[in-house]
Amino acid sequence: MPHLRTRLDDGYQVTFGVWLGIHPERLPSTFAVWWEPEYVDLRLDGVLANSIEPWELFPAPATATVRDPEETPYVTASSDPLLAEVLTSTWPHDQVLPHLPA
C-alpha cells in the first residue's frame, strides 16, 4: 500500500495509505524486487484505486516511487492536475483533517 503525503499549514503533514492499481503484467516484476536491493529503484505507474477526502481523487493516474527502502513507495507524481496539486501544495488543516476518521 503506497503512501500519499500532503503538506498542511504550519509545517504539519498528513500521510494517507492508498491503493494503487497497476497493470497485472507488472505484478511479477514488482514482487520479484520487493525484498531485494533493486527495490530502491522501483517505480509504479497506475491509478489511485480508492477515494481520498476531501479531493475525490479516484481514479487519478499516479506514479509511486521508493523514498526509503524500509517503507512502501510514496505517490510522487501525477498527470492529473488535482492530484499534482495535492502533492505540491500546502493545505489548510480544517479543509483536510475533518475528513479523517476518528
Side-chain angles (χ1 to χ4, degrees):
M1 175 179 286
H3 303 288
L4 188 153
R5 182 174 290 159
T6 190
R7 292 186 305 272
L8 301 176
D9 290 339
D10 300 321
Y12 292 95
Q13 61 187 7
V14 63
T15 303
F16 299 93
V18 297
W19 292 101
L20 186 66
I22 63 171
H23 196 282
E25 291 177 0
R26 284 292 316 271
L27 291 175
S29 62
T30 299
F31 182 74
V33 301
W34 199 265
W35 301 110
E36 303 299 328
E38 296 84 7
Y39 174 71
V40 298
D41 298 320
L42 182 65
R43 175 188 166 113
L44 299 170
D45 294 305
V47 295
L48 288 185
N50 58 314
S51 180
I52 304 297
E53 296 288 339
W55 302 288
E56 299 295 330
L57 297 169
F58 173 77
T63 298
T65 57
V66 176
R67 290 183 175 174
D68 180 334
E70 300 297 318
E71 297 180 1
T72 56
Y74 284 80
V75 175
T76 52
S78 177
S79 60
D80 179 80
L82 180 55
L83 180 50
E85 185 177 2
V86 169
L87 293 170
T88 59
S89 294
T90 300
W91 297 86
H93 285 85
D94 61 350
Q95 185 177 353
V96 178
L97 297 181
H99 298 280
L100 296 179

